[in-house]
Amino acid sequence: MSTAHVEQARNGLTGSIQVPGDKSISHRAVMFGAIAEGKTTVDGFLAGEDCLSTIDCFRKLGVTIEQEGEKVTIEGKGWDGLQEPEEILDVGNSGTTTRLMLGILATRPFHSVIIGDDSIAKRPMGRVTEPLREMGSIIDGRGNGRFTPLSIRGGQTKGIQFQSKVASAQVKSAILLAGLQSEGVTSVTEPALSRDHTERMLTAYGVEVKRDGLTVSVKGGQTLTAQDITVPGDISSAAFFLVAAVIVPNSHITLKGVGINPTRSGIIDVLQEMGASISVHNEQVVGGEPIADLDIKTSTLKGIEIGGDLIPRLIDEIPVIAVLATQAEGKTVIRDAEELKVKETNRIDTVVSELKKLGATIEATEDGMIIEGRTALKAATVSSYGDHRIGMAMGVAGLIAEGRMTIERSEAIAVSYPTFFEHIDELLGGK
Ligand code: S3P
């Protein structure tokens, strides 16, 4: 385990960076390439630990995958090219790998065992294993198949019309992937729209996907054709620097080539509503995903209310939004965000406890948190608790907190942003 230190910034953040590739899209590019027919290439791949876990699992399923930094080549041999793994499939810390891979394995006529780290072992898998069992695959595991380790034997499955209780792209994607090789039509209806990268990328791989409001459906018996995928910058990684630039005095930065898919861009809406000076330039569509350069400066902020359908559009950004809210005048209320409790950590608890150590006025609620600003934060020793986004949110807080911040278990940051501290140094140096 490692420890990182962050000093209060003496000058503003300036210059421009390209944030690493989108985690959600990188996972999907590899998985869909693995089940497609032909050679898929991926450029801009996020070589973070989570996505490397996906590569490792699909290699164990018999797929030849070459990866060098941001470039990946996948030799897809179609659905039937996947083979029974001789080893256990270890997903590490990655919920996306676990749930989407379950959807793929649900229709494969062989047996696999999935394990992950201590955090994965606490995360609810019943939301995926129950509908997959209903479709006909045989799944067992701890807590009657609700937690890892899980074992799955796929086979002949039937389409279902699934009503999800949560707005979760991982659940939606798992069921749709199983639906592609099941009898009849499979549909998923969610309570609010979650990120739609699966729908967009499956379409790029030649699959017919139908959307009708909050319901998305696929017909069984569909195959995928290899693609050349370019992964946009991850807006969830960009969020740390968007917030840092707004709250560190005298900052002005540009983040290049960031994915601004409307199902992910809630952070931009929140920054604008709080009064931040942010502008969007060079909008383009790359491989079915909108991207842009984001320009942002130090700004005066006011507290706002964040809830409802906005939550799935910024769920991963809430830890750093809480840091932002400590620097806004007045009250910020985050509600309808119970899903935070089942992320890499219980993010309501970890955000509130660590920000309190810095002197923030913040209280947990049943479904979110209330933050009262503006507060001058003081550096302290905090922990990531093994959660990458908590570690990075603390890194951003460290830039404005008086003194020297110590972040324990900082190694977790490599899950999604291995060059996070280098990028902080680069922007502080104004290169
Ligand atoms: C993801 C979906 C979200 C998100 C996670 C990545 C994905 O989780 O929090 O970081 O790639 O589909 P849920 O689908 O469980 O909300």
Side-chain angles (χ1 to χ4, degrees), residues 50 98 105-106 114 159 196 217 220 227 252 275 322 324 350 359 409 411 418:
D50 269 13
T98 318
L105 295 175
I114 299 176
D196 65 356
S217 55
Q227 293 300 309
H252 184 181
L324 179 70
T350 47
R409 299 189 63 184
E411 74 285 349

Side-chain angles (χ1 to χ4, degrees), residues 23-24 28 96 99 127 167-170 195 315-316 339 343 389:
K23 180 156 81 70
S24 295
R28 286 162 172 79
T96 307
R99 297 193 177 116
R127 52 177 63 188
S168 161
Q170 295 180 358
R195 62 191 67 190
I315 188 72
D316 291 340
E339 276 295 291
K343 294 297 175 186
R389 299 200 202 281

Side-chain angles (χ1 to χ4, degrees), residues 328-347:
E329 210 58 61
K331 193 188 275 191
T332 294
V333 181
I334 300 172
R335 59 185 153 72
D336 306 319
E338 300 90 338
E339 276 295 291
L340 289 176
K341 295 180 183 170
V342 293
K343 294 297 175 186
E344 286 81 333
T345 54
N346 176 335
R347 286 186 179 158

Side-chain angles (χ1 to χ4, degrees), residues 123-415:
R123 300 184 66 182
M125 296 302 160
R127 52 177 63 188
V128 171
T129 56
E130 278 159 26
L132 293 178
R133 276 173 173 167
E134 201 184 316
M135 294 175 88
S137 63
I138 300 165
I139 305 178
D140 205 348
R142 198 164 52 86
N144 191 23
R146 284 181 295 122
F147 299 99
T148 56
L150 292 166
S151 92
I152 175 161
R153 179 175 292 283
Q156 296 270 306
T157 47
K158 279 207 176 97
I160 53 169
Q161 273 56 65
F162 183 63
Q163 196 92 34
S164 179
K165 289 199 194 90
V166 283
S168 161
Q170 295 180 358
V171 172
K172 172 175 65 179
S173 305
I175 311 307
L176 291 176
L177 285 165
L180 289 179
Q181 288 288 296
S182 298
E183 206 186 301
V185 173
T186 294
S187 68
V188 181
T189 305
E190 33 183 8
L193 184 60
S194 65
R195 62 191 67 190
D196 65 356
H197 305 302
T198 293
E199 296 92 306
R200 287 174 189 252
M201 202 187 286
L202 281 178
T203 307
Y205 273 91
V207 167
E208 202 188 318
V209 181
K210 282 203 178 126
R211 171 164 291 286
D212 180 11
L214 292 173
T215 302
V216 53
S217 55
V218 293
K219 267 198 207 131
Q222 298 201 59
T223 53
L224 286 72
T225 309
Q227 293 300 309
D228 294 325
I229 306 275
T230 303
V231 180
D234 198 327
I235 192 164
S236 297
S237 297
F240 296 101
F241 289 102
L242 292 174
V243 170
V246 172
I247 63 177
V248 174
N250 305 315
S251 298
H252 184 181
I253 63 168
T254 303
L255 304 174
K256 295 223 159 108
V258 179
I260 53 161
N261 179 319
T263 62
R264 296 282 301 283
S265 59
I267 178 72
I268 298 178
D269 300 4
V270 160
L271 282 162
Q272 278 169 341
E273 205 186 325
M274 287 178 119
S277 166
I278 177 170
S279 53
V280 179
H281 305 271
N282 296 332
E283 282 188 58
Q284 303 170 49
V285 176
V286 174
E289 291 281 350
I291 65 166
D293 298 342
L294 305 177
D295 188 87
I296 191 154
K297 296 182 203 164
T298 313
S299 317
T300 307
L301 305 167
K302 60 175 193 302
I304 60 166
E305 300 224 349
I306 302 169
D309 290 357
L310 183 55
I311 295 294
R313 298 179 52 227
L314 48 66
I315 188 72
D316 291 340
E317 288 65 78
I318 292 177
V320 79
I321 288 174
V323 175
L324 179 70
T326 68
Q327 302 310 303
E329 210 58 61
K331 193 188 275 191
T332 294
V333 181
I334 300 172
R335 59 185 153 72
D336 306 319
E338 300 90 338
E339 276 295 291
L340 289 176
K341 295 180 183 170
V342 293
K343 294 297 175 186
E344 286 81 333
T345 54
N346 176 335
R347 286 186 179 158
I348 296 183
D349 288 354
T350 47
V351 166
V352 170
S353 77
E354 299 319 275
L355 279 178
K356 273 193 173 163
K357 289 179 187 166
L358 308 182
T361 309
I362 179 167
E363 291 304 330
T365 61
E366 248 327 289
D367 63 349
M369 56 195 84
I370 301 174
I371 303 122
E372 196 75 59
R374 172 169 190 233
T375 317
L377 302 181
K378 284 212 161 59
T381 297
V382 293
S383 177
S384 76
Y385 297 97
D387 182 336
H388 54 131
R389 299 200 202 281
I390 300 298
M392 288 186 276
M394 290 300 120
V396 171
L399 291 173
I400 54 158
E402 191 194 325
R404 186 179 196 235
M405 185 97 104
T406 298
I407 306 167
E408 292 175 341
R409 299 189 63 184
S410 58
E411 74 285 349
I413 291 170
V415 156

Side-chain angles (χ1 to χ4, degrees), residues 7-154:
E7 301 275 355
Q8 183 175 20
R10 276 185 222 101
N11 46 300
L13 301 172
T14 52
S16 93
I17 55 166
Q18 180 124 30
V19 296
D22 188 280
K23 180 156 81 70
S24 295
I25 296 175
S26 296
H27 281 299
R28 286 162 172 79
V30 170
M31 292 193 205
F32 299 178
I35 54 176
E37 316 259 352
K39 184 174 175 171
T40 285
T41 64
V42 186
D43 199 6
F45 175 77
L46 168 64
E49 285 168 10
D50 269 13
C51 299
L52 295 175
S53 296
T54 290
I55 290 187
D56 182 56
C57 289
F58 280 82
R59 280 183 179 147
K60 287 181 179 157
L61 288 163
V63 184
T64 302
I65 304 174
E66 274 174 35
Q67 181 251 332
E68 245 188 75
E70 294 186 355
K71 294 207 184 294
V72 184
T73 310
I74 306 133
E75 306 286 345
K77 296 205 179 74
W79 285 100
D80 296 331
L82 297 186
Q83 293 160 13
E84 183 166 87
E86 286 174 12
E87 288 169 79
I88 288 172
L89 303 172
D90 187 349
V91 300
N93 189 243
S94 177
T96 307
T97 312
T98 318
R99 297 193 177 116
L100 270 62
M101 190 165 63
L102 278 166
I104 290 173
L105 295 175
T107 59
R108 297 305 86 212
F110 54 71
H111 176 255
S112 316
V113 176
I114 299 176
I115 58 158
D117 68 8
D118 293 351
S119 156
I120 279 293
K122 291 190 196 124
R123 300 184 66 182
M125 296 302 160
R127 52 177 63 188
V128 171
T129 56
E130 278 159 26
L132 293 178
R133 276 173 173 167
E134 201 184 316
M135 294 175 88
S137 63
I138 300 165
I139 305 178
D140 205 348
R142 198 164 52 86
N144 191 23
R146 284 181 295 122
F147 299 99
T148 56
L150 292 166
S151 92
I152 175 161
R153 179 175 292 283

